[in-house]
Amino acid sequence: MPIGPSSRPRDPIHVIPMALALALAAFAGGALGIVWHKLAGDDKPAETATAPQP
């Protein structure tokens, strides 16, 4: 591993575009999940568990 300064410039890591892409992917995934849930799910409410009557 060289100890001195390198002769070529460092590559940019593009933090802002990566953060925007992550936020866009999260928003799109959430929206698609809601659409999937509405299309695939049944419309009746979930049954609640009740304790057995003695």
Side-chain angles (χ1 to χ4, degrees), residues 22-48:
L22 179 62
L24 179 64
F27 179 75
L32 285 174
I34 290 172
V35 169
W36 180 280
H37 182 71
K38 291 291 184 186
L39 292 177
D42 53 345
D43 292 333
K44 58 185 175 184
E47 296 178 16
T48 58

